[in-house]
Structure formats: C-alpha cells, structure tokens
Amino acid sequence: MAVEEGGRGMGKVSISRSCRAYRMAAGLPAALLVSSLLITPMGLAADQPTHHGDMGEASAEKVIYREGGAMLHDRMMEEIKRQQEAIGMKGGYNTSANSHMLQQGVLLVAEDPTKVSVSSGQRCPANAPLKDYHISAINVEITLSRFLDYFPGYMYVLKENVEKVRGEEAANREAREKENDPGAVSNGLQGDAIQPLVIRANQGDCLKLTLHNEITEEPTSLVINGSSMVVAATGKPATPSNPEGTVAAGGQQSFEWYIKPDTQEGARFFRSHASREQFNQGLIGMLVVEPRGSRYLSPFDGKPMASGWEAMIEDPKGADFREFAIFYHEAGDEAFRLLNKKGEMLPQRDPHTDSDRPGARLL
C-alpha cells in the first residue's frame, strides 16, 4: 500500500513534470518566433538601401524611439510659437487669444488649413436698393431702470439721434437728484433713445454703414456676425483681424454688405471687437434681414422708421407682421459694479434675495 501510494505520488509528480516539460516545449517555438521578430528587422534594415540609394548597414544611432505624446507636444509648442509671432495681426482680442492657447492648450486655428475655405465679400451691384446708415459710437451713462441705477458705458446710435440720447442722459442725471422721478426711462424702453441699436435691411439690398467714432480716446469697430461686410474703400473683409475695420478716436470708416436675395431672414448681432469693455458695457446692436422690398413702420404712429427694437414690417409679397428684437445682456464682468442713483456701488449679492450682481442682467 505504501509503495502504491508512493507510486501514485511519484506518478503525480511525473505527470506534473511532463506537463511542465510539454509547456516548455510548446513555448519554445513561440519564444524563438518572438526572438526572430526582434532580430529580423535589424537584419532587414541592413539590407535596405539608404536615402541616397547606397547599400549599407543601418546604424542603431539612426533609429529613434519616442513616445507619441512627446512628439505631439513638440508639434503643439511649435504651432503656439508660430501663433505668438503672428498674434499682433489678430485684432483687438490678441491678448485673450494668446492666453487661451497657453492656458487651455487648444489652438485657435483649423486642424487642417487646407480644408478651410474663406471667400471675400462681394461689392454691391449698381442696381441694388440702398440702405445707408450713419452710426456713431459714443460714451454714455446708461440708466437701467426707473429706480435710476446706471453705469458709464457705450452705445451705438444713429448719428441723427445723438442729440436725443444726450437729452435723455441729462434728464436722467437730473432725476437722480429728485425723489420718485423716473427720468426719461419708460416701461420697457418703448421709444427711448438710450437702448441697443436695431437697424434693418432687406434681402437683395446694398447695406452701407459709416461708423463715426465719438468715443473719448479709444478706437472702436462694428462687426456684424454672419455677414460678408467689406471695407468700402478697399473691398477687404471688415473683420477684427483687418486693421482697416478698426476706427481711431475721432475718425470714421465706411463699410458695405451686399445682402444677396437668398440670404436667410432674421437677426444678425453686431458688436465692437476693439475691446472687451466696450462690448460688455453696451456697444452692441442688431441688424435684422427682412423680406425683399419690406418697409419698416413705427408701432406708435405708423410712419416709416429708421431704427428701434419693435416695428411693424410691411411685406409686399407676404403677410405683414410685428417684430420685436430682444437682447439679453450682462453689464460688465464679474468685477464690474453698477451704481445706484446716489452714485454708490450696488452690492455684489442682493441682501434680500441673495441673487448675484443685482441689476446687472439686462433685457
């Protein structure tokens, strides 16, 4: 019995050893195969012609092994350096563009420039109906409500309406010295002169804008989103990266946009790209593209109107309709403080409702 048990024990051991031997034998070709794969490329490399067409042994020094991440990092750093060298041509937002690239690691360029197609805007045909606006960019105290909270800001206004704006500004300033006087602020900014500028043009029109910079000691601009507006004098695109699109203090520049007949109707937001402060503090507006041949009538007296956020649109080929251009805008950034009628800064948090920056969300 002992021998039998011993035999069984030895048998078990022998089986175990034979399995190990089998596994080793089975693994040997695999090991040889792997080693051949490791060795073969060097032998093949020695038999390949060099870049100059000569035969010769490949030097191990010429074989470079690098992590993919390091290569991508080098490519990104090279592109950032190239962008930094050209950053001065990016217009008024070069500082934020530069910091965005450095902090986020996201380049503000197309991944493949060959896949991007940009075409210049078209000059207006001689027979296109003309819409001609002279727009002034000005400094102004913007009164926010009938409580007479306000802040010193900017706005676009038709040049012929600048005096109306100054009249309302003076009336609001005087009202701040009185009790229960709302000044020139109406409920809903009905026909108020101090409000974001809304102008209109029709499909098929030639829109001509002349921007007059009346802002004190600051350059400014006016860029219409989604347009093909060009500088009238040169025909170059009126974009933030084109210096001709920026108007120096006291200067003026003319632009034009041929609104093709198949242009989508609807709102096109416009704003200053000269500085973030101008945009945040009121230098915004809207161009509304209307049906071809439309007229714009005042909802107050039914007469033709040049600007305004509410209008009656008379469409010669369709149903007439009423139109309301609505803005939602936050005054300033998180550090900007609005003023009450006494000139004191409003709190950053409302003491009663705990809302953030009371009065700063403008509709």
Side-chain angles (χ1 to χ4, degrees), residues 121-133 199-209 224-230 255-268 270 286-293 296:
Q122 177 182 346
R123 287 186 177 275
C124 295
N127 60 346
L130 178 64
K131 288 290 190 304
D132 193 4
Y133 293 99
I199 56 176
R200 295 169 175 85
N202 299 335
Q203 296 169 322
D205 281 357
C206 174
L207 174 68
K208 289 197 174 183
L209 301 178
I224 302 176
N225 292 355
S227 75
S228 300
M229 192 162 68
V230 299
F255 308 94
E256 66 180 62
W257 175 26
Y258 174 51
I259 306 174
K260 296 181 179 180
D262 60 352
T263 300
Q264 176 66 48
E265 298 174 22
R268 304 292 196 280
F270 61 77
M286 186 186 299
L287 168 75
V288 186
V289 177
E290 306 290 2
R292 191 164 191 168
Y296 330 128

Side-chain angles (χ1 to χ4, degrees), residues 93-124:
Y93 268 48
N94 57 56
T95 302
S96 61
N98 195 15
S99 63
H100 183 82
M101 286 194 295
L102 295 178
Q103 294 176 11
Q104 303 297 326
V106 178
L107 301 179
L108 301 181
V109 293
E111 180 181 355
D112 185 355
T114 62
K115 296 180 180 179
V116 178
S117 176
V118 179
S119 58
S120 300
Q122 177 182 346
R123 287 186 177 275
C124 295

